[in-house]
Amino acid sequence: MSNERIRNKELLGKIMSAEEASTLIKDGMVIGASGFTPSGYPKAVPFALAERVKATDEKMKLTLYSGASLGPEVDGAWAEAGIIAKRLPYQTNGTLRKEINAGNVEYLDMHLSHSTQYVSYGVLPKVDVAIVEALAITEEGHIIPTTAIGNTPTFIKSAEKVIVEINTSKPMALEGMADIYMTENPPYRQPIPITKPDQRIGTTYIECGLDKIAAIVETDLKDKARPLTPTDDVSRKISENILKFFRKEVAEGRLPKNLLPLQSGVGSVANAVLYGLCDSEFENLTCYTEVVQDSMLELVRCGKANLLSTTSISASPEGTEKFIEEIDFFKDKIILRPQEISNNPEVARRIGIIAMNTALEIDIYGNVNSTHVMGSKMMNGIGGSGDFARNASITIFTTAATAKGGDISSIVPMVSHVDHTEHDVMVIVTDQGVADLRGLSPKERALTIINNCVHPDYKPMLLDYYNRAMENGAKHTPHILDEALSWHSRFQKTGSMKIEK
């Protein structure tokens, strides 16, 4: 391995195979893994461990911490091998999701900005072994990260031992993008000195030290990036509706012409919204977010955005290749921060983020379910949406008006699970229109949502429910409790929320 990657000769004696390094992991341990939304995560050592356990029937139950979702070499392979006893704070893997919903894996779904605090405060057990992907290790034994920071600094600080995967498929030109700043525990915590997204406040490396590094593994395995879902008509309509909302806010003097720092969730709708900005009149944009996908990179390429502050670069396979080819262009336009900074409520409130995140379902009063299908089945997790939603200057939740070919209305009388209460939800956007809920009472919110965001197939049903609820008793937040979740029950029984005629 080159001196550029390992800059202290003492560490050369710690180079070993992934299989050898995996033996440092013992049953019952707490493992902290680098990475955030299949980017910058360890691959060789976790996969070697899974293969060994499957081949030998070795007893192995681990608690796995991460920044967010990890690639299949960790979440998928470990779930298949039955290795994961408990997982937090977020996941997107299909195999792991099945194990969680079958009750075989305990899953702690958390606000991402809280996860480091739980470790630092000692609420969660400390990390036994941190497995981290790195570009290089400095002379002092510090870690130069790759394409994601996540919770890696906290895991390394907490860990007894650190296994480092030096990934030679990641270009050294990434060095310098990281800006590592960590907070102290109360009462010693200081204000985070960020007043603009482009400010750098930390180091370009993660502190570790020579003594903590127990093993170094060389790998060239690439991130298993998710393919980019093509933008469909529904996503385009949602994007158009958000842009109309922005134009109205600018016209009425509530937003500047270059908007405010943008935060966006992941997925096809999120990408469609940002691609829509590429063709808009808005310029000199900035982003203060948790994940940079293809569309945000395109905002910079087309000259609409000047700066992307994030904790992860997680583009599609094609988008990743293009990014690496153009890395010199992007180097001074991207800042990679720990997620306790990228998702920090203090910073979000101070700089006035516009938060745009997706919902599974929304009820007529504005409560949002981001995580649970039919109330019980975990999809992915709340992620960072709550970090931003409660603290943004404008909080927008988007969803297609219907799902499952029209058999599900995404707007329902009462959500089957609440992740974001109506107090945190300011604007709802579907392919049908926009509901600006700011300054409205519950009854006003209900009629605004029904009249602007509901699909025509379900609008009469929701108006009927609301009108009958108004006659049913208390009129502050009218409900018919016997019917509030009947739409979900009807879908489970018949395969559709529609009432058969």
Short mmCIF file of all heavy atoms in Angstrom, two decimals, residues 410-458:
data_model
loop_
_atom_site.label_atom_id
_atom_site.label_comp_id
_atom_site.label_asym_id
_atom_site.label_seq_id
_atom_site.Cartn_x
_atom_site.Cartn_y
_atom_site.Cartn_z
N SER A 410 -53.11 8.63 -0.17
CA SER A 410 -52.03 9.05 0.72
C SER A 410 -52.51 10.10 1.72
O SER A 410 -51.79 10.41 2.68
CB SER A 410 -50.85 9.60 -0.09
OG SER A 410 -50.34 8.60 -0.94
N ILE A 411 -53.69 10.66 1.50
CA ILE A 411 -54.33 11.54 2.48
C ILE A 411 -55.48 10.77 3.10
O ILE A 411 -56.37 10.29 2.40
CB ILE A 411 -54.86 12.83 1.83
CG1 ILE A 411 -53.80 13.49 0.93
CG2 ILE A 411 -55.34 13.80 2.91
CD1 ILE A 411 -52.59 14.01 1.65
N VAL A 412 -55.46 10.61 4.41
CA VAL A 412 -56.43 9.76 5.11
C VAL A 412 -57.04 10.52 6.29
O VAL A 412 -56.53 11.57 6.69
CB VAL A 412 -55.74 8.47 5.63
CG1 VAL A 412 -55.32 7.57 4.47
CG2 VAL A 412 -54.53 8.82 6.51
N PRO A 413 -58.13 9.99 6.87
CA PRO A 413 -58.72 10.68 8.03
C PRO A 413 -57.75 10.80 9.21
O PRO A 413 -57.68 11.84 9.84
CB PRO A 413 -59.92 9.80 8.39
CG PRO A 413 -60.28 9.13 7.09
CD PRO A 413 -58.99 8.88 6.40
N MET A 414 -57.02 9.72 9.47
CA MET A 414 -56.05 9.72 10.56
C MET A 414 -54.88 8.82 10.17
O MET A 414 -55.11 7.70 9.71
CB MET A 414 -56.67 9.21 11.87
CG MET A 414 -55.73 9.23 13.06
SD MET A 414 -56.48 8.54 14.57
CE MET A 414 -57.58 9.88 15.03
N VAL A 415 -53.67 9.31 10.30
CA VAL A 415 -52.52 8.48 9.95
C VAL A 415 -52.42 7.29 10.90
O VAL A 415 -52.78 7.38 12.08
CB VAL A 415 -51.19 9.28 9.96
CG1 VAL A 415 -51.12 10.21 8.77
CG2 VAL A 415 -50.99 10.03 11.26
N SER A 416 -51.90 6.19 10.38
CA SER A 416 -51.78 4.97 11.18
C SER A 416 -50.57 4.98 12.10
O SER A 416 -50.43 4.11 12.96
CB SER A 416 -51.73 3.76 10.25
OG SER A 416 -50.64 3.88 9.34
N HIS A 417 -49.69 5.95 11.90
CA HIS A 417 -48.51 6.13 12.75
C HIS A 417 -48.08 7.58 12.59
O HIS A 417 -48.12 8.11 11.48
CB HIS A 417 -47.37 5.19 12.31
CG HIS A 417 -46.09 5.40 13.06
ND1 HIS A 417 -45.81 4.74 14.23
CD2 HIS A 417 -45.02 6.21 12.82
CE1 HIS A 417 -44.61 5.11 14.66
NE2 HIS A 417 -44.12 6.02 13.83
N VAL A 418 -47.66 8.23 13.67
CA VAL A 418 -47.26 9.64 13.59
C VAL A 418 -45.75 9.78 13.80
O VAL A 418 -45.22 9.37 14.82
CB VAL A 418 -47.99 10.51 14.64
CG1 VAL A 418 -47.55 11.97 14.52
CG2 VAL A 418 -49.50 10.40 14.47
N ASP A 419 -45.09 10.35 12.79
CA ASP A 419 -43.68 10.72 12.93
C ASP A 419 -43.50 12.22 13.10
O ASP A 419 -42.62 12.67 13.82
CB ASP A 419 -42.89 10.27 11.69
CG ASP A 419 -42.78 8.76 11.60
OD1 ASP A 419 -42.14 8.17 12.48
OD2 ASP A 419 -43.35 8.17 10.67
N HIS A 420 -44.34 12.99 12.40
CA HIS A 420 -44.27 14.45 12.46
C HIS A 420 -45.68 14.95 12.77
O HIS A 420 -46.60 14.76 11.97
CB HIS A 420 -43.79 15.02 11.13
CG HIS A 420 -42.55 14.36 10.61
ND1 HIS A 420 -41.30 14.65 11.09
CD2 HIS A 420 -42.38 13.39 9.67
CE1 HIS A 420 -40.40 13.89 10.46
NE2 HIS A 420 -41.04 13.12 9.60
N THR A 421 -45.85 15.57 13.93
CA THR A 421 -47.17 16.05 14.28
C THR A 421 -47.53 17.27 13.44
O THR A 421 -46.66 17.90 12.83
CB THR A 421 -47.27 16.44 15.76
OG1 THR A 421 -46.58 17.68 15.97
CG2 THR A 421 -46.64 15.37 16.65
N GLU A 422 -48.81 17.61 13.45
CA GLU A 422 -49.27 18.76 12.66
C GLU A 422 -48.58 20.05 13.07
O GLU A 422 -48.50 21.00 12.28
CB GLU A 422 -50.80 18.92 12.80
CG GLU A 422 -51.29 19.52 14.09
CD GLU A 422 -51.46 18.53 15.23
OE1 GLU A 422 -50.91 17.41 15.14
OE2 GLU A 422 -52.15 18.87 16.20
N HIS A 423 -48.01 20.10 14.27
CA HIS A 423 -47.32 21.30 14.73
C HIS A 423 -46.03 21.55 13.97
O HIS A 423 -45.52 22.68 13.95
CB HIS A 423 -47.00 21.18 16.23
CG HIS A 423 -48.20 20.85 17.06
ND1 HIS A 423 -49.25 21.72 17.24
CD2 HIS A 423 -48.52 19.74 17.76
CE1 HIS A 423 -50.16 21.17 18.01
NE2 HIS A 423 -49.75 19.96 18.34
N ASP A 424 -45.47 20.51 13.36
CA ASP A 424 -44.21 20.63 12.63
C ASP A 424 -44.39 20.70 11.12
O ASP A 424 -43.41 20.81 10.39
CB ASP A 424 -43.30 19.43 12.96
CG ASP A 424 -43.00 19.33 14.44
OD1 ASP A 424 -43.00 20.38 15.11
OD2 ASP A 424 -42.76 18.22 14.92
N VAL A 425 -45.62 20.58 10.65
CA VAL A 425 -45.87 20.47 9.21
C VAL A 425 -46.49 21.78 8.72
O VAL A 425 -47.59 22.15 9.12
CB VAL A 425 -46.81 19.28 8.91
CG1 VAL A 425 -47.06 19.17 7.41
CG2 VAL A 425 -46.19 17.98 9.44
N MET A 426 -45.76 22.46 7.84
CA MET A 426 -46.22 23.77 7.37
C MET A 426 -46.89 23.72 6.00
O MET A 426 -47.88 24.40 5.77
CB MET A 426 -45.03 24.74 7.31
CG MET A 426 -44.34 24.95 8.63
SD MET A 426 -42.95 26.08 8.46
CE MET A 426 -42.10 25.81 10.01
N VAL A 427 -46.31 22.92 5.10
CA VAL A 427 -46.81 22.89 3.73
C VAL A 427 -46.86 21.44 3.25
O VAL A 427 -45.91 20.68 3.47
CB VAL A 427 -45.90 23.71 2.78
CG1 VAL A 427 -46.44 23.69 1.35
CG2 VAL A 427 -45.76 25.15 3.27
N ILE A 428 -47.97 21.06 2.62
CA ILE A 428 -48.10 19.74 2.02
C ILE A 428 -48.24 19.91 0.52
O ILE A 428 -49.01 20.76 0.05
CB ILE A 428 -49.32 19.00 2.59
CG1 ILE A 428 -49.11 18.69 4.07
CG2 ILE A 428 -49.59 17.70 1.83
CD1 ILE A 428 -50.35 18.22 4.78
N VAL A 429 -47.47 19.11 -0.23
CA VAL A 429 -47.53 19.18 -1.68
C VAL A 429 -47.73 17.77 -2.24
O VAL A 429 -46.97 16.86 -1.92
CB VAL A 429 -46.24 19.79 -2.28
CG1 VAL A 429 -46.35 19.89 -3.80
CG2 VAL A 429 -45.96 21.16 -1.69
N THR A 430 -48.77 17.61 -3.06
CA THR A 430 -48.96 16.37 -3.82
C THR A 430 -49.00 16.74 -5.29
O THR A 430 -48.86 17.91 -5.67
CB THR A 430 -50.28 15.67 -3.44
OG1 THR A 430 -51.38 16.44 -3.94
CG2 THR A 430 -50.42 15.50 -1.94
N ASP A 431 -49.21 15.74 -6.13
CA ASP A 431 -49.36 16.01 -7.56
C ASP A 431 -50.65 16.77 -7.85
O ASP A 431 -50.82 17.32 -8.94
CB ASP A 431 -49.32 14.70 -8.35
CG ASP A 431 -50.23 13.64 -7.77
OD1 ASP A 431 -50.05 13.27 -6.60
OD2 ASP A 431 -51.13 13.17 -8.48
N GLN A 432 -51.56 16.82 -6.87
CA GLN A 432 -52.82 17.54 -7.05
C GLN A 432 -52.71 19.02 -6.72
O GLN A 432 -53.47 19.83 -7.25
CB GLN A 432 -53.91 16.90 -6.19
CG GLN A 432 -54.17 15.44 -6.49
CD GLN A 432 -54.67 15.21 -7.90
OE1 GLN A 432 -55.58 15.89 -8.36
NE2 GLN A 432 -54.06 14.26 -8.60
N GLY A 433 -51.80 19.40 -5.84
CA GLY A 433 -51.68 20.79 -5.49
C GLY A 433 -50.94 21.03 -4.19
O GLY A 433 -50.25 20.14 -3.66
N VAL A 434 -51.07 22.24 -3.65
CA VAL A 434 -50.34 22.70 -2.47
C VAL A 434 -51.32 23.09 -1.38
O VAL A 434 -52.30 23.80 -1.64
CB VAL A 434 -49.45 23.92 -2.81
CG1 VAL A 434 -48.75 24.45 -1.57
CG2 VAL A 434 -48.44 23.56 -3.89
N ALA A 435 -51.04 22.67 -0.14
CA ALA A 435 -51.80 23.11 1.03
C ALA A 435 -50.84 23.83 1.96
O ALA A 435 -49.97 23.22 2.57
CB ALA A 435 -52.44 21.92 1.73
N ASP A 436 -50.98 25.14 2.03
CA ASP A 436 -50.18 25.96 2.95
C ASP A 436 -50.94 26.02 4.26
O ASP A 436 -51.99 26.66 4.36
CB ASP A 436 -49.97 27.35 2.35
CG ASP A 436 -49.02 28.20 3.19
OD1 ASP A 436 -48.71 27.80 4.32
OD2 ASP A 436 -48.61 29.27 2.71
N LEU A 437 -50.42 25.37 5.28
CA LEU A 437 -51.14 25.21 6.55
C LEU A 437 -50.75 26.25 7.59
O LEU A 437 -51.30 26.25 8.69
CB LEU A 437 -50.88 23.81 7.12
CG LEU A 437 -51.11 22.64 6.17
CD1 LEU A 437 -50.82 21.32 6.88
CD2 LEU A 437 -52.52 22.65 5.60
N ARG A 438 -49.83 27.12 7.25
CA ARG A 438 -49.33 28.08 8.22
C ARG A 438 -50.44 29.04 8.65
O ARG A 438 -51.13 29.63 7.83
CB ARG A 438 -48.15 28.86 7.64
CG ARG A 438 -46.94 27.99 7.35
CD ARG A 438 -45.86 28.74 6.61
NE ARG A 438 -46.29 29.12 5.26
CZ ARG A 438 -45.54 29.83 4.42
NH1 ARG A 438 -44.33 30.22 4.79
NH2 ARG A 438 -46.00 30.13 3.22
N GLY A 439 -50.60 29.17 9.96
CA GLY A 439 -51.59 30.09 10.49
C GLY A 439 -53.02 29.59 10.48
O GLY A 439 -53.95 30.36 10.76
N LEU A 440 -53.21 28.31 10.19
CA LEU A 440 -54.56 27.77 10.10
C LEU A 440 -54.92 26.94 11.33
O LEU A 440 -54.08 26.24 11.89
CB LEU A 440 -54.71 26.90 8.85
CG LEU A 440 -54.43 27.56 7.49
CD1 LEU A 440 -54.75 26.59 6.36
CD2 LEU A 440 -55.20 28.86 7.32
N SER A 441 -56.19 26.97 11.70
CA SER A 441 -56.70 26.12 12.78
C SER A 441 -56.88 24.71 12.23
O SER A 441 -56.82 24.49 11.02
CB SER A 441 -58.04 26.66 13.26
OG SER A 441 -59.04 26.45 12.26
N PRO A 442 -57.12 23.72 13.11
CA PRO A 442 -57.30 22.34 12.61
C PRO A 442 -58.38 22.21 11.54
O PRO A 442 -58.16 21.55 10.52
CB PRO A 442 -57.65 21.56 13.87
CG PRO A 442 -56.96 22.30 14.97
CD PRO A 442 -57.06 23.75 14.59
N LYS A 443 -59.54 22.82 11.74
CA LYS A 443 -60.61 22.70 10.75
C LYS A 443 -60.22 23.36 9.43
O LYS A 443 -60.51 22.85 8.35
CB LYS A 443 -61.91 23.31 11.29
CG LYS A 443 -62.48 22.56 12.49
CD LYS A 443 -63.88 23.01 12.84
CE LYS A 443 -63.93 24.46 13.27
NZ LYS A 443 -63.25 24.67 14.58
N GLU A 444 -59.54 24.50 9.54
CA GLU A 444 -59.07 25.18 8.32
C GLU A 444 -58.03 24.33 7.60
O GLU A 444 -58.02 24.26 6.36
CB GLU A 444 -58.50 26.55 8.67
CG GLU A 444 -59.53 27.55 9.14
CD GLU A 444 -58.92 28.82 9.70
OE1 GLU A 444 -57.82 28.76 10.29
OE2 GLU A 444 -59.55 29.88 9.58
N ARG A 445 -57.14 23.68 8.36
CA ARG A 445 -56.14 22.80 7.74
C ARG A 445 -56.83 21.66 6.99
O ARG A 445 -56.45 21.32 5.87
CB ARG A 445 -55.19 22.24 8.81
CG ARG A 445 -54.19 23.22 9.34
CD ARG A 445 -53.01 22.53 10.01
NE ARG A 445 -53.39 21.77 11.19
CZ ARG A 445 -53.35 22.22 12.44
NH1 ARG A 445 -52.97 23.47 12.67
NH2 ARG A 445 -53.68 21.47 13.46
N ALA A 446 -57.82 21.06 7.64
CA ALA A 446 -58.49 19.91 7.03
C ALA A 446 -59.09 20.27 5.68
O ALA A 446 -58.88 19.56 4.68
CB ALA A 446 -59.58 19.38 7.97
N LEU A 447 -59.81 21.36 5.61
CA LEU A 447 -60.45 21.73 4.35
C LEU A 447 -59.42 22.15 3.30
O LEU A 447 -59.59 21.88 2.11
CB LEU A 447 -61.46 22.86 4.59
CG LEU A 447 -62.71 22.44 5.36
CD1 LEU A 447 -63.57 23.64 5.71
CD2 LEU A 447 -63.52 21.40 4.57
N THR A 448 -58.33 22.79 3.74
CA THR A 448 -57.26 23.18 2.80
C THR A 448 -56.59 21.95 2.20
O THR A 448 -56.33 21.89 0.99
CB THR A 448 -56.22 24.07 3.52
OG1 THR A 448 -56.87 25.23 4.04
CG2 THR A 448 -55.11 24.50 2.56
N ILE A 449 -56.32 20.96 3.03
CA ILE A 449 -55.69 19.73 2.54
C ILE A 449 -56.64 18.97 1.60
O ILE A 449 -56.24 18.55 0.51
CB ILE A 449 -55.26 18.83 3.73
CG1 ILE A 449 -54.12 19.49 4.50
CG2 ILE A 449 -54.83 17.45 3.22
CD1 ILE A 449 -53.81 18.82 5.83
N ILE A 450 -57.88 18.80 2.03
CA ILE A 450 -58.84 18.04 1.22
C ILE A 450 -59.06 18.71 -0.13
O ILE A 450 -59.06 18.07 -1.19
CB ILE A 450 -60.17 17.87 1.97
CG1 ILE A 450 -59.98 16.97 3.19
CG2 ILE A 450 -61.24 17.27 1.05
CD1 ILE A 450 -61.18 16.94 4.14
N ASN A 451 -59.22 20.02 -0.12
CA ASN A 451 -59.55 20.72 -1.36
C ASN A 451 -58.37 20.88 -2.31
O ASN A 451 -58.58 21.03 -3.52
CB ASN A 451 -60.13 22.10 -1.03
CG ASN A 451 -61.53 22.01 -0.45
OD1 ASN A 451 -62.31 21.15 -0.84
ND2 ASN A 451 -61.85 22.88 0.50
N ASN A 452 -57.14 20.82 -1.80
CA ASN A 452 -55.97 21.09 -2.64
C ASN A 452 -55.09 19.89 -2.94
O ASN A 452 -54.41 19.88 -3.97
CB ASN A 452 -55.10 22.18 -2.01
CG ASN A 452 -55.76 23.54 -2.04
OD1 ASN A 452 -55.79 24.20 -3.07
ND2 ASN A 452 -56.30 23.95 -0.90
N CYS A 453 -55.07 18.88 -2.06
CA CYS A 453 -54.06 17.83 -2.19
C CYS A 453 -54.61 16.43 -2.44
O CYS A 453 -53.85 15.52 -2.76
CB CYS A 453 -53.19 17.79 -0.93
SG CYS A 453 -52.17 19.26 -0.72
N VAL A 454 -55.88 16.23 -2.30
CA VAL A 454 -56.47 14.89 -2.38
C VAL A 454 -56.82 14.54 -3.83
O VAL A 454 -57.28 15.39 -4.59
CB VAL A 454 -57.72 14.79 -1.48
CG1 VAL A 454 -58.40 13.44 -1.62
CG2 VAL A 454 -57.33 15.05 -0.02
N HIS A 455 -56.63 13.28 -4.18
CA HIS A 455 -57.01 12.80 -5.51
C HIS A 455 -58.54 12.85 -5.66
O HIS A 455 -59.27 12.58 -4.69
CB HIS A 455 -56.52 11.37 -5.70
CG HIS A 455 -56.64 10.87 -7.10
ND1 HIS A 455 -57.82 10.35 -7.62
CD2 HIS A 455 -55.73 10.82 -8.12
CE1 HIS A 455 -57.62 10.01 -8.88
NE2 HIS A 455 -56.36 10.28 -9.21
N PRO A 456 -59.04 13.18 -6.86
CA PRO A 456 -60.50 13.26 -7.07
C PRO A 456 -61.27 12.01 -6.65
O PRO A 456 -62.42 12.11 -6.22
CB PRO A 456 -60.62 13.51 -8.58
CG PRO A 456 -59.34 14.17 -8.96
CD PRO A 456 -58.29 13.59 -8.07
N ASP A 457 -60.63 10.83 -6.75
CA ASP A 457 -61.33 9.60 -6.36
C ASP A 457 -61.67 9.57 -4.87
O ASP A 457 -62.61 8.87 -4.46
CB ASP A 457 -60.48 8.37 -6.70
CG ASP A 457 -60.41 8.11 -8.21
OD1 ASP A 457 -61.14 8.80 -8.96
OD2 ASP A 457 -59.63 7.24 -8.61
N TYR A 458 -60.88 10.29 -4.08
CA TYR A 458 -61.04 10.22 -2.62
C TYR A 458 -61.57 11.51 -2.00
O TYR A 458 -61.93 11.52 -0.82
CB TYR A 458 -59.70 9.85 -1.97
CG TYR A 458 -59.29 8.42 -2.25
CD1 TYR A 458 -58.40 8.11 -3.28
CD2 TYR A 458 -59.81 7.37 -1.50
CE1 TYR A 458 -58.03 6.80 -3.55
CE2 TYR A 458 -59.44 6.06 -1.76
CZ TYR A 458 -58.56 5.78 -2.78
OH TYR A 458 -58.20 4.48 -3.05
#
